């Protein structure tokens, strides 16, 4: 399945990714062979200014399990603030990169202390509104291996526990009218599909599929990515 409408990015540089994750090279090569645009050194809170993203619009911008790193216990208020700042910065950057009727998806754990991040409230502070929340079942994503992403055990999985896909959008009346929000969410359910891949963050573009290939040198790395199946929203 061609992935030419997918842009996959990481905060880490290519060299750091390769050092941190044993399957990085093969995963990136697979993505590259399938035509995905690969970007590294992309800070999700500043991505709207990134040279390769500034003029692009996406219909899905997805951040799987955002986390600001292991600098203290998860219930430490300072850590919760760091995680919230990351997600809020991501929302602020992503909101200007969407096409009309598009969505931002965040996969996130829903047990305490992760629920204290309060994604719904975070989003309302920077204009996308929560339109739908669905259970995240890892078995729906064969080949996806979640990663801690930081510290000496970065290549190890973290316990997923109970997690959800939080879907945010810009329904004009979303803040005021929950009925309109639900209706808009169900319209999306019927009409759109998306696909995710095991990278820290994914941007899905529907335009100018070969933009990156034409304009930039991509790190050429082997590929055998285990792609998630296309799933209905
Ligand atoms: C818990 S890991 C999840 C990794 C992967 N998305 C997954 O689903 O397994 C958290 C990820 O957030 C990324 N991250 C942290 N701060 C970031 C930022 N400012 N911009 C982009 N990614 C960031 C880290 O690089 C790390 O990969």
């Amino acid at each position: 399945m061609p992935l030419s409408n997918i842009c996959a990015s990481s905060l880490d540089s290519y060299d750091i990714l390769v050092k941190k994750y044993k399957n990085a090279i093969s995963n990136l090569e697979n993505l590259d062979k399938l035509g995905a645009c690969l970007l590294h050194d992309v800070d999700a809170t500043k991505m709207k200014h990134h040279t390769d993203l500034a003029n692009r619009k996406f219909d899905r911008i997805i951040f799987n399990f955002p986390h600001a790193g292991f600098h203290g216990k998860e219930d430490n208020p300072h850590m919760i603030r760091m995680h919230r700042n990351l997600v809020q910065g991501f929302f602020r950057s992503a909101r200007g990169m969407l096409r009309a009727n598009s969505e931002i998806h965040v996969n996130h754990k829903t047990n305490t202390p992760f629920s204290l991040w309060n994604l719904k409230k975070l989003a309302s502070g920077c204009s996308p509104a929560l339109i739908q929340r669905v259970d995240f079942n890892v078995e729906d994503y064969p080949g996806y291996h979640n990663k801690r992403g930081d510290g000496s055990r970065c290549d190890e999985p973290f316990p997923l526990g109970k997690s959800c896909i939080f879907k945010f959008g810009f329904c004009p009346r979303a803040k005021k009218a929950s009925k309109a929000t639900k209706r808009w969410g169900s319209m999306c359910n019927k009409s759109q599909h998306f696909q995710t891949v095991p990278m820290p963050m994914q941007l899905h573009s529907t335009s100018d599929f070969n933009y990156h290939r034409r304009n930039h040198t991509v790190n050429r790395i082997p590929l055998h990515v285990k792609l998630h199946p296309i799933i209905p929203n």
Side-chain angles (χ1 to χ4, degrees):
M1 177 193 310
L3 296 182
S4 49
N5 61 340
I6 286 186
C7 181
S9 69
S10 65
L11 175 64
D12 294 323
S13 66
Y14 173 80
D15 290 344
I16 291 176
L17 275 184
V18 167
K19 276 190 197 130
K20 281 171 75 171
Y21 305 103
K22 65 177 184 314
N23 291 333
I25 292 183
S26 61
N27 283 348
L28 290 168
E29 274 200 0
N30 280 342
L31 282 168
D32 186 50
K33 267 189 209 152
L34 291 166
C37 146
L38 303 176
L39 299 176
H40 306 296
D41 289 306
V42 179
D43 183 335
T45 66
K46 299 181 184 138
M47 60 187 176
K48 70 176 175 190
H49 303 300
H50 191 282
T51 341
D52 298 319
L53 296 171
N55 298 315
R56 298 185 67 179
K57 296 282 181 203
F58 296 88
D59 48 24
R60 290 290 183 279
I61 300 183
I62 302 172
F63 199 157
N64 286 330
F65 299 100
H67 194 276
F70 299 99
H71 310 292
K73 289 193 170 170
E74 291 297 351
D75 59 358
N76 177 327
H78 172 65
M79 279 312 305
I80 293 174
R81 239 185 340 269
M82 281 178 70
H83 296 315
R84 295 188 88 228
N85 286 342
L86 169 61
V87 179
Q88 190 165 46
F90 164 67
F91 283 142
R92 287 193 170 136
S93 207
R95 70 183 169 184
M97 300 168 63
L98 289 170
R99 296 168 159 265
N101 297 328
S102 297
E103 294 173 17
I104 297 170
H105 293 187
V106 177
N107 290 356
H108 183 51
K109 291 165 72 149
T110 51
N111 58 330
T112 320
F114 300 97
S115 55
L116 301 174
W117 298 17
N118 200 344
L119 296 193
K120 185 176 175 181
K121 194 165 172 205
L122 263 186
S124 65
C126 53
S127 80
L130 183 67
I131 52 170
Q132 200 185 18
R133 181 182 139 151
V134 297
D135 286 345
F136 173 79
N137 299 310
V138 72
E139 53 281 7
D140 293 338
Y141 298 86
Y144 168 62
H145 301 287
N146 67 301
K147 302 288 180 185
R148 288 167 63 86
D150 185 43
S152 55
R153 292 161 57 210
C154 57
D155 205 6
E156 293 179 22
F158 56 88
L160 282 166
K162 194 153 171 38
S163 305
C164 277
I165 305 170
F166 291 76
K167 303 182 182 183
F168 301 89
F170 295 89
C171 176
R173 283 170 294 170
K175 276 188 203 163
K176 289 183 192 156
S178 61
K179 273 189 189 164
T181 306
K182 279 183 192 153
R183 204 164 44 240
W184 194 66
S186 76
M187 275 162 55
C188 295
N189 283 351
K190 284 175 196 143
S191 62
Q192 296 172 334
H193 290 68
F194 75 96
Q195 183 182 38
T196 57
V197 290
M199 287 284 281
M201 179 182 65
Q202 301 111 38
L203 311 164
H204 294 203
S205 171
T206 51
S207 65
D208 199 7
F209 295 161
N210 290 313
Y211 174 89
H212 187 77
R213 284 173 169 274
R214 276 204 315 276
N215 295 284
H216 307 279
T217 310
V218 187
N219 290 307
R220 302 271 160 206
I221 18 209
L223 146 41
H224 176 75
V225 118
K226 287 150 185 170
L227 294 167
H228 299 169
I230 291 182
I231 57 167
N233 263 357

